[in-house]
Amino acid sequence: YQVIPVESGEDAIVTAQSELPDLIILDVKLPGMDGYATCGALKTTDATANIPVIFVSAQDQLGHRLHGYEVGGEDYITKPFSPQELDAKVAHLLKMVSERTSLKLQADYATSTAMTAMSSIGEMGALLEALKSFNACTDYKSLADAILNGLAAYGLQGAVQIRSSDIKLTRNLQGDASPLETSVINHMATMDRITQFKTNMSISYPLVSLLVNNMPVADADRCGRLRDHLAILIEGANVRVQSISDAIESSRRGEAIQRAAARIS
């Protein structure tokens, strides 16, 4: 990679606007503007809004990771770290951003369609439609996408994680979730069933966790309704994950029985 070093947040903003790098590695502690403020400024400027940011910090608490997530960071790496770890994160993030760019138009169209549907069938109708769509899901990926489509029907954004004995899948509407989203869900999945931190809210069941990053906290009534609807949505998804897992296990057992029968014959 061609690396362009700068010494402050202000320099980072100016350089990013002139050079338009593919990725920014940003220390949290900087002279003048700190890394969070710098990232926030980059993400609110059209020219630099889509440049992925990896935070570097000696702090590994959930609050620090959430702060990085809130201002638009895509990954978070703690000191000390190995060059191999950083290299792997950079390569993975650049690949993910490339794939996300190709899917952006599809995601925008899906969100627009979902919002139109939302206005016509109402909040409860959106919930029922999402729950109904779960029945057609026969694998974890299609179920994760159905959950995210249900979330988009409320005009919300976020990520979902599905866990089973043989897989941990974390996705958002653009595809695979960013490492920072995955890290935040992993942390919040160990907390209460429903946890809210400013505009971020997580709902966790044993097999499914949902992270919402734009809860309408200014509208307390709607926020409360959405919290109830999404809790039902994720509870239904948790049941469906168990059904899919049971079906996969049943298929494996059937194949094992067939192999055993063949050997006996």
Side-chain angles (χ1 to χ4, degrees):
Y1 305 106
Q2 178 186 356
V3 179
I4 305 172
V6 296
E7 296 184 357
S8 69
E10 292 83 357
D11 289 344
I13 294 170
V14 172
T15 304
Q17 291 176 350
S18 62
E19 299 291 341
L20 297 178
D22 295 306
L23 182 142
I24 297 172
I25 301 171
L26 190 60
D27 204 327
V28 169
K29 289 189 176 182
L30 292 171
M33 295 177 65
D34 67 10
Y36 298 129
T38 302
C39 183
L42 290 167
K43 294 298 181 178
T44 54
T45 302
D46 290 342
T48 57
N50 293 320
I51 300 175
V53 173
I54 297 178
F55 282 110
V56 179
S57 174
Q59 304 294 328
D60 194 28
Q61 291 84 358
L62 175 59
H64 291 279
R65 290 177 177 268
L66 278 172
H67 196 176
Y69 180 58
E70 286 177 344
V71 297
E74 277 77 18
D75 205 348
Y76 191 102
I77 186 170
T78 55
K79 304 174 184 179
F81 56 86
S82 69
Q84 292 81 5
E85 179 188 8
L86 180 61
D87 186 51
K89 283 180 175 289
V90 168
H92 173 74
L93 193 53
L94 289 175
K95 178 182 178 183
M96 186 177 69
V97 169
S98 176
E99 294 172 348
R100 183 180 298 174
T101 299
S102 67
L103 293 170
K104 186 177 186 302
L105 289 176
Q106 298 177 38
D108 290 344
Y109 177 77
T111 300
S112 175
T113 303
M115 288 298 294
T116 301
M118 175 64 193
S119 63
S120 62
I121 65 178
E123 292 176 352
M124 184 57 71
L127 173 62
L128 294 175
E129 287 296 318
L131 291 172
K132 187 192 304 183
S133 71
F134 291 173
N135 294 327
C137 300
T138 57
D139 58 74
Y140 301 124
K141 181 178 177 295
S142 63
L143 178 60
D145 290 343
I147 296 170
L148 291 167
N149 288 334
L151 185 65
Y154 291 108
L156 300 175
Q157 300 173 355
V160 64
Q161 183 178 89
I162 293 177
R163 301 175 292 273
S164 71
S165 59
D166 54 359
I167 193 174
K168 179 184 282 189
L169 178 69
T170 310
R171 291 180 63 79
N172 57 33
L173 273 174
Q174 287 74 44
D176 290 336
S178 71
L180 187 52
E181 282 178 314
T182 303
S183 173
V184 170
I185 289 183
N186 288 339
H187 275 80
M188 299 186 84
T190 64
M191 302 169 74
D192 295 335
R193 175 64 53 84
I194 299 178
T195 303
Q196 187 149 354
F197 185 85
K198 298 181 181 178
T199 60
N200 296 294
M201 183 186 72
S202 74
I203 301 175
S204 291
Y205 278 77
L207 303 178
V208 184
S209 291
L210 176 70
L211 174 65
V212 184
N213 59 30
N214 63 334
M215 288 293 289
V217 293
D219 186 342
D221 290 340
R222 183 166 184 260
C223 194
R225 293 196 308 272
L226 290 175
R227 190 181 297 113
D228 294 340
H229 292 328
L230 294 176
I232 296 172
L233 183 75
I234 299 307
E235 184 176 9
N238 190 76
V239 172
R240 187 58 187 163
V241 171
Q242 186 62 62
S243 298
I244 293 174
S245 180
D246 291 343
I248 292 174
E249 182 60 28
S250 176
S251 176
R252 288 174 178 169
R253 291 178 179 176
E255 292 172 356
I257 290 173
Q258 290 178 354
R259 290 194 298 270
R263 288 197 300 271
I264 292 171
S265 298

